[in-house]
Amino acid sequence: MSKLKIGDVFQTNAGGTMKVIEKIRWDKFVVEHQDKHKHRSIAHPFGIMKGEVKNPYQPSLSGKGFLGVGDFVAHINCKKTPEYAAWMCMIQRCYGGKNGKGVERYEDCSVSDEWLNFQNFAKWYVSQDFYNCGYDLDKDLIRKGNRIYCKEYCVLVPPKINGLLHSGKKRRGKYPVGVSYKKMGKKFNVNLKVDGKTKYVGAFDCLDEASNAYVLAKESYVKQIALEWKGKIDKRVFDLLMMWRVVND
């Protein structure tokens, strides 16, 4: 016979608490997790006493993200669903964690409270026109400098476009992006990254001429890519690429 009584409170293995609120029969009790969500679960007495009853609103990823309750699942046939893989990567980029190995960490970035709940993120993700096309989740293309992953500013973009507008300022050296000086010829050489390869633009006597040549080449290339992907990217992204300008300070 079960020793559980209505009103008993138990600690869960994940760190939360749950209260026994109803007995269905000797081997089935209803427990209510003691947080703002008040999620209820039906569980066996032994599982309750051992703290094994899971709370879907208890953060389970990087101490921040939780699965929630809804139509979306994390795995199908032991394989991550596209929406869960994208959500997991987003959470780990911002908050790290033991599952974040191999994921580049973004400093000073966060996820909106709404999207800490996997169900909310997944609902947005699958509603996008280019869902399950292998596109990346971008947070700062629509709003430059944005540091919060949220539905207002995030967009799905092809990997090629996601890295297209990176400035390269961190590794440029003393000259403007795309420009290097060759002592042998006493020229300023200009190169542009195209499809991951270095494309030679030209050599110039004047630094300003070299910088301007890079700007023209880069802006032309960005427009070219936009036109190639027209109709296969969000219209906001297309419009942004067509109007994009190099800021080379």
Side-chain angles (χ1 to χ4, degrees):
M1 183 178 293
S2 172
K3 298 180 181 180
L4 265 60
K5 302 188 298 294
I6 305 301
D8 284 351
V9 176
F10 293 87
Q11 194 82 14
T12 68
N13 295 337
T17 58
M18 55 186 167
K19 180 189 288 186
V20 179
I21 62 169
E22 182 183 348
K23 178 179 180 180
I24 298 176
R25 63 186 195 190
W26 74 269
D27 62 343
K28 283 187 179 180
F29 283 76
V30 178
V31 294
E32 181 182 82
H33 295 279
Q34 300 302 288
D35 57 16
K36 66 179 182 179
H37 301 285
K38 301 296 182 183
H39 179 72
R40 295 185 176 188
S41 303
I42 298 175
H44 192 281
F46 292 155
I48 295 172
M49 289 185 288
K50 290 181 179 179
E52 296 173 348
V53 183
K54 293 183 179 180
N55 179 1
Y57 293 98
Q58 181 81 18
S60 57
L61 183 63
S62 302
K64 291 286 187 176
F66 54 91
L67 293 178
V69 176
D71 298 330
F72 300 98
V73 297
H75 299 84
I76 295 178
N77 296 327
C78 298
K79 183 180 180 180
K80 295 185 186 73
T81 58
E83 52 271 28
Y84 181 75
W87 179 77
M88 182 178 71
C89 184
M90 172 185 69
I91 297 293
Q92 292 174 343
R93 283 193 185 282
C94 293
Y95 305 111
K98 65 179 182 179
N99 296 320
K101 200 171 183 179
V103 176
E104 181 185 359
R105 179 77 183 273
Y106 288 170
E107 298 296 334
D108 302 322
C109 286
S110 61
V111 176
S112 68
D113 289 343
E114 181 181 16
W115 276 10
L116 291 176
N117 185 335
F118 167 64
Q119 299 298 322
N120 294 334
F121 172 83
K123 183 178 180 180
W124 172 88
Y125 190 79
V126 303
S127 72
Q128 302 305 293
D129 289 338
F130 306 104
Y131 160 70
N132 209 15
C133 289
Y135 287 12
D136 293 336
L137 177 68
D138 183 275
K139 71 183 182 312
D140 52 14
L141 191 57
I142 299 300
R143 186 183 187 185
K144 188 176 180 180
N146 177 50
R147 309 298 288 173
I148 302 174
Y149 283 93
C150 60
K151 65 183 180 183
E152 288 81 10
Y153 301 120
C154 281
V155 65
L156 300 183
V157 295
K160 185 173 185 177
I161 290 178
N162 194 26
L164 182 63
L165 306 185
H166 290 172
S167 68
K169 289 181 180 179
K170 291 182 179 180
R171 57 182 184 277
R172 76 179 189 183
K174 61 190 270 190
Y175 299 111
V177 176
V179 179
S180 61
Y181 183 69
K182 298 300 180 182
K183 291 182 179 180
M184 184 175 292
K186 296 183 178 180
K187 296 279 188 179
F188 292 96
N189 285 5
V190 177
N191 294 288
L192 178 69
K193 282 288 185 181
V194 175
D195 294 330
K197 299 179 180 178
T198 300
K199 177 183 177 181
Y200 178 69
V201 176
F204 303 85
D205 295 319
C206 173
L207 178 59
D208 287 342
E209 288 180 356
S211 181
N212 288 337
Y214 173 81
V215 168
L216 291 174
K218 179 70 173 184
E219 291 177 354
S220 176
Y221 178 57
V222 169
K223 289 183 176 64
Q224 174 190 325
I225 297 300
L227 291 170
E228 287 177 6
W229 285 88
K230 186 176 183 180
K232 295 179 286 186
I233 53 176
D234 189 294
K235 186 178 182 302
R236 294 173 298 169
V237 174
F238 174 79
D239 292 342
L240 183 147
L241 295 177
M242 292 301 292
M243 297 185 296
W244 184 78
R245 296 291 180 270
V246 173
V247 178
N248 208 350
D249 51 19

